[in-house]
Amino acid sequence: KVKGAMYYPIVILITMAGIGIALVVYVLPKLVDVFENLGADLPLLTRLLIDSSKFLNKNWLSFLIGALVLVILLVLAFRTEKGKTGMSSFGLKIPKIGGIIRKINLARFCRTFSSLLRSGIPIVDSLKIVADTLGNMKYRQAVLAASEEIKKGTGISKAFQSYNDIFIPVVLQIMAVGEETGKLDNVLTKLAEFYESETDQEMSNISSIIEPILMLMLGAAVGLMAVSIISPIYSLS
């Protein structure tokens, strides 16, 4: 559902970028000659677009190679440990998206951990397996660090208290109750069901949030392009 919800905005953004480049590279050069021959006093926005058009037309190959190199470097950087951790931290800070990332990782943590505990796998080994199932590096590192603390004799809920910025305090409190009553696997299953339901609801609503934002972006882009092209024509007339 998360991936499916992202396809629509990604396609729209790529289309916007493609149309913008096409306008700057093919449409604006034809208008530049008209403006220059008439000696019109062009607005700042129009001059910026014209300069961008000239730059892209003269250096399109360098621009393309530079863009490809940048993409490759970013991909390689994000595959490193530091890159993954940085992206994970950034993702958690994004409004709305950060909340969804938290719920997804908490649901996955609770569901997998409860299943492994019910299967009789030792707690430390279970946490190491759980860490491999989590997509966010901050959660993965927290679970691995907590497993080391538990190995030293620390309680399960107490081992996670240092990471209450990503493991919500309510989750830690419920885990503590489950640990004391000996029903941690059942408690984790209930938590997993809760966060799975929450995530499902969030993803049902996210398209209604993304669409107006995309409409605003499209409207702003079209408005800027229209103003930059029409305003000098209007002043000449």
Side-chain angles (χ1 to χ4, degrees):
K1 281 194 172 184
V2 173
K3 290 177 180 177
M6 291 297 105
Y7 290 145
Y8 174 70
I10 288 170
V11 169
I12 294 294
L13 290 172
I14 291 172
T15 305
M16 281 174 59
I19 292 171
I21 291 169
L23 285 170
V24 170
V25 173
Y26 296 108
V27 177
L28 276 177
K30 295 177 181 179
L31 294 172
V32 170
D33 294 334
V34 176
F35 293 148
E36 288 180 346
N37 289 335
L38 292 171
D41 186 18
L42 301 177
L44 176 62
L45 187 58
T46 307
R47 291 200 303 271
L48 287 172
L49 278 174
I50 288 171
D51 291 340
S52 301
S53 175
K54 288 179 178 178
F55 175 79
L56 284 175
N57 276 295
K58 288 179 181 178
N59 305 286
W60 65 271
L61 185 59
S62 301
F63 178 80
L64 185 61
I65 293 170
L68 287 172
V69 170
L70 180 63
V71 169
I72 291 167
L73 288 174
L74 287 172
V75 169
L76 292 174
F78 292 150
R79 286 183 177 178
T80 63
E81 193 77 13
K82 286 184 178 180
K84 289 177 181 177
T85 303
M87 278 298 294
S88 296
S89 300
F90 176 71
L92 290 169
K93 293 175 183 176
I94 301 173
K96 198 68 179 178
I97 302 298
I100 294 172
I101 292 171
R102 280 186 174 84
K103 289 171 183 175
I104 290 170
N105 282 275
L106 285 171
R108 193 175 292 178
F109 167 81
C110 294
R111 176 67 68 187
T112 311
F113 194 22
S114 66
S115 298
L116 293 171
L117 288 176
R118 197 172 286 114
S119 301
I121 298 172
I123 290 171
V124 174
D125 293 336
S126 296
L127 287 173
K128 288 179 180 178
I129 295 168
V130 170
D132 291 333
T133 69
L134 301 175
N136 188 277
M137 284 298 294
K138 295 286 287 184
Y139 278 91
R140 188 178 298 181
Q141 290 168 357
V143 170
L144 289 174
S147 70
E148 292 299 318
E149 291 296 317
I150 292 167
K151 193 186 293 185
K152 296 174 185 176
T154 307
I156 298 171
S157 58
K158 193 174 181 180
F160 284 96
Q161 283 179 357
S162 301
Y163 310 99
N164 57 10
D165 56 329
I166 54 176
F167 282 90
I168 301 168
V170 173
V171 172
L172 298 179
Q173 291 166 11
I174 294 172
M175 283 175 62
V177 172
E179 193 178 354
E180 290 172 7
T181 58
K183 296 181 179 180
L184 183 59
D185 55 341
N186 293 331
V187 167
L188 288 169
T189 300
K190 294 294 182 183
L191 281 170
E193 289 171 357
F194 171 75
Y195 281 112
E196 285 164 0
S197 175
E198 285 282 301
T199 305
D200 190 56
Q201 185 63 40
E202 289 276 4
M203 296 318 301
S204 299
N205 297 333
I206 197 167
S207 59
S208 61
I209 297 168
I210 290 173
E211 285 179 15
I213 293 172
L214 287 175
M215 291 302 102
L216 287 171
M217 290 175 65
L218 279 168
V222 171
L224 285 172
M225 191 68 70
V227 168
S228 62
I229 293 173
I230 293 171
S231 57
I233 296 173
Y234 178 75
S235 63
L236 285 171
S237 63

